[in-house]
Amino acid sequence: MKTQRQAKILEIIAASDIETQEQLLDALQKTGFRSTQATISRDIKELRIVKELTNLGTYRYTAANKETGGTFSTRLNTIFRECITSYDYAQNIVVIKTMPGLASAACSAIDSMNMPVVLGSLAGDDTAFLVMRDSSAASAFCAEIKRLLS
């Protein structure tokens, strides 16, 4: 069922401009799949679905490139330049503010890099929390963000 649902999600986002998880959930339910927002959120992360800016100035879900290469700087630079509005850290927690709807994309990019200093991430609509291994890792991560954005 999961594989079929995820295939349908990819089909839906390829055919329609879906901006929110709620719209995706509605479209999925109209095709006969019953799901929850939490499941959709996990599917988005597993499928590496990200939001992209459309020509109309709105955002839509799209399947990310299946690239396997790319360095930490290269991948973060692309995503962060597009969506980060501010960032800071306190002890081992990094807080990243993004454009509305893009915190999940930022967390997904970070999670996909499997960095051992990142213990986990949590994304809201426009705020991402990263739990780092220690405060020096949080400081170094923020320094890297600053370097990428300047």
Side-chain angles (χ1 to χ4, degrees):
M1 184 63 119
K2 177 180 176 179
T3 304
Q4 295 165 337
R5 181 184 66 247
Q6 289 184 345
K8 183 54 79 174
I9 288 171
L10 291 172
E11 182 182 315
I12 290 168
I13 65 169
S16 306
D17 284 348
I18 303 291
E19 293 183 55
T20 66
Q21 289 183 11
E22 291 78 20
Q23 288 175 339
L24 181 56
L25 182 59
D26 288 343
L28 197 60
Q29 288 176 341
K30 287 177 183 172
T31 63
F33 286 89
R34 298 289 170 233
S35 190
T36 65
Q37 186 275 328
T39 300
I40 297 298
S41 182
R42 284 189 297 273
D43 287 340
I44 287 170
K45 189 173 183 175
E46 286 178 20
L47 294 169
R48 294 190 174 157
I49 293 173
V50 296
K51 285 191 176 182
E52 70 178 358
L53 187 62
T54 68
N55 294 337
L56 302 173
T58 60
Y59 290 93
R60 68 181 293 270
Y61 283 119
T62 185
N65 292 336
K66 298 293 185 194
E67 67 182 35
T68 56
T71 64
F72 172 78
S73 295
T74 304
R75 296 175 82 189
L76 280 183
N77 197 14
T78 302
I79 290 173
F80 284 12
R81 275 186 298 135
E82 298 292 326
C83 69
I84 300 297
T85 60
S86 68
Y87 58 92
D88 206 348
Y89 76 98
Q91 305 221 352
N92 70 323
I93 297 183
V94 176
V95 177
I96 299 172
K97 294 286 196 170
T98 69
M99 300 285 289
L102 295 177
S104 184
C107 282
S108 182
I110 293 165
D111 290 345
S112 72
M113 288 179 238
N114 297 316
M115 294 180 290
V117 296
V118 178
L119 300 179
S121 67
L122 179 66
D125 183 56
D126 63 356
T127 305
F129 289 95
L130 304 177
V131 178
M132 309 301 283
R133 187 155 304 281
D134 53 37
S135 59
S136 64
S139 174
F141 188 83
C142 284
E144 180 70 5
I145 293 173
K146 181 178 183 177
R147 190 187 68 70
L148 291 173
L149 295 179
S150 31

